Amino acid sequence: MKELEERIRQDGTVKPGNVLKVDAFLNHQCDVSLFDQMGAAWAEHFAGKRITKILTIEASGIGIACMAARHFGNVPVVFAKKAQSINLDGDQYTTTVYSFTKQKEFPVIVSKKYLEAGDRVLLIDDFLANGKALRGLIALCEAAGASVEGIGIAVEKGFQGGGDKLREEGYDVDSLAIVESMDPETGRIEFR
Amino acid sequence: MKELEERIRQDGTVKPGNVLKVDAFLNHQCDVSLFDQMGAAWAEHFAGKRITKILTIEASGIGIACMAARHFGNVPVVFAKKAQSINLDGDQYTTTVYSFTKQKEFPVIVSKKYLEAGDRVLLIDDFLANGKALRGLIALCEAAGASVEGIGIAVEKGFQGGGDKLREEGYDVDSLAIVESMDPETGRIEFR
């Protein structure tokens, strides 16, 4: 998506250690107009998939997923939670995800009430690098007997390979910007 | 807001320990149509306040805040983060908040780049009980020199007093449903 690539070039920052900071518009400050355009792009790509639910993971995916849901007939958005809280029943699916940004493993849970067999799920997240978070969401869908109809990603770090691996396995991954290379010295970003 | 009260009566669950579970539509599964109505209600209440930014706290506030921003001319949404992550610079405002649901203290941070003197801020959150999370957001605004023009809350637990204390201090708190009492035995919920 041209608008997203341009925005990354304009306001993104490349940091050492394969970190691309897009917190000016994507995952700390949020540009809801841009989110709306992203939702429209996914709706076009995943037209005909009869999505019944959007599943994302807290925290950065939530705003994007909610804005996108408007383009899918206001289907419910469910966000998987990253830690046990007293506000969740024991009746939940659980998996474990390694976070690149937080550099640790954490449990990810979703209530069995909100992810069910028969759900046709669109996974949405802000970033796709090695794909660990998405693998967690896929595992939750598998546990529930829900089908993963598509994966909508804002920014894929193509050079980390997680997206291509998922495509090889048959997942329909629509990343709106795929970074092929980035250089912390010059700040230069190349898109696929 | 009538629609929210009805929804709480219909899909909310009262649990022992002053816990009101609304994860069917508010903070685990999200009903974006309802969020949209909530945003419209706040836009009406806070008309004329010339809001330039919406500030919320991860995770449950984000979806509500993003949907609400559409009703405030697509102002930027900033969500305060609950822990240090390598994706944030050192250049940030920090405070500490006690979480009722997680029963522990945690640091809350916002980048200095995204909260500034002159910002006219609307705080948004899903719940208001004793007001600890809001106090944290207010402290971040004070540190930045930004003005808190209003506070939009989905569900206030009126009997815990946090909202009335803020109102006494002069804050314009618009809670769309104020629970005056709730009974875990009968499940009965009374609104103010």
Side-chain angles (χ1 to χ4, degrees), chain A residues 19 21 23-24 27-30 32-33 53 58-59 70 74 77-79 81 86-87 89 101 111 114, chain B residues 15 19 21 23-24 27-30 32-33 53 58-59 70 74 77-79 81 86-87 101 111 114:
Chain A
V19 174
K21 275 175 67 91
D23 61 0
N27 52 19
H28 184 23
Q29 182 165 254
C30 304
V32 295
S33 302
K53 195 160 279 179
E58 65 177 19
R70 298 178 56 239
N74 290 326
V77 171
V78 175
F79 60 90
K81 301 198 172 200
I86 59 166
N87 269 357
D89 289 325
T101 43
S111 168
Y114 308 128
Chain B
K15 297 269 180 186
V19 174
K21 276 176 66 93
D23 61 359
N27 50 20
H28 184 23
Q29 183 165 253
C30 304
V32 296
S33 302
K53 195 162 278 179
E58 64 178 22
R70 299 179 55 239
N74 289 326
V77 171
V78 175
F79 59 89
K81 301 199 172 198
I86 58 165
N87 269 357
T101 42
S111 168
Y114 309 128

Side-chain angles (χ1 to χ4, degrees), chain B residues 21-156:
Chain B
K21 276 176 66 93
V22 287
D23 61 359
F25 55 95
L26 196 69
N27 50 20
H28 184 23
Q29 183 165 253
C30 304
D31 180 339
V32 296
S33 302
L34 182 67
F35 288 11
D36 191 52
Q37 289 177 287
M38 289 161 48
W42 287 319
E44 201 181 318
H45 182 92
F46 296 111
K49 294 271 188 166
R50 294 183 290 119
I51 302 300
T52 63
K53 195 162 278 179
I54 292 176
L55 178 65
T56 187
I57 185 165
E58 64 178 22
S60 310
I62 300 172
I64 302 168
C66 284
M67 293 297 291
R70 299 179 55 239
H71 295 275
F72 289 86
N74 289 326
V75 293
V77 171
V78 175
F79 59 89
K81 301 199 172 198
K82 280 184 179 164
Q84 190 78 29
S85 123
I86 58 165
N87 269 357
L88 276 168
D89 289 325
D91 210 19
Q92 59 209 17
Y93 300 111
T94 309
T95 188
T96 303
V97 165
Y98 179 83
S99 164
F100 176 76
T101 42
K102 309 220 167 178
Q103 298 184 316
K104 65 174 179 185
E105 280 214 327
F106 52 87
V108 173
I109 53 183
V110 68
S111 168
K112 290 184 182 177
K113 279 184 285 187
Y114 309 128
L115 192 61
E116 292 172 303
D119 270 329
R120 300 173 61 85
V121 179
L122 174 62
L123 305 180
I124 287 209
D125 209 359
D126 58 335
F127 260 96
L128 166 53
N130 47 37
K132 302 273 193 202
L134 282 176
R135 296 285 175 186
L137 294 180
I138 290 168
L140 293 172
C141 287
E142 281 171 353
S147 66
V148 176
E149 294 297 319
I151 300 174
I153 298 294
V155 186
E156 177 179 339

Side-chain angles (χ1 to χ4, degrees), chain A residues 81-94:
Chain A
K81 301 198 172 200
K82 279 184 180 166
Q84 190 79 29
S85 125
I86 59 166
N87 269 357
L88 275 169
D89 289 325
D91 210 18
Q92 59 209 18
Y93 300 111
T94 309

Side-chain angles (χ1 to χ4, degrees), chain A residues 97-135:
Chain A
V97 166
Y98 179 82
S99 165
F100 176 76
T101 43
K102 309 219 167 177
Q103 298 185 316
K104 64 174 179 185
E105 280 215 327
F106 52 87
V108 172
I109 55 183
V110 69
S111 168
K112 290 184 181 177
K113 279 183 286 188
Y114 308 128
L115 191 62
E116 292 172 303
D119 270 329
R120 299 173 61 85
V121 178
L122 173 63
L123 305 181
I124 287 207
D125 209 358
D126 59 334
F127 260 95
L128 166 53
N130 48 36
K132 301 274 193 199
L134 282 176
R135 297 285 175 186

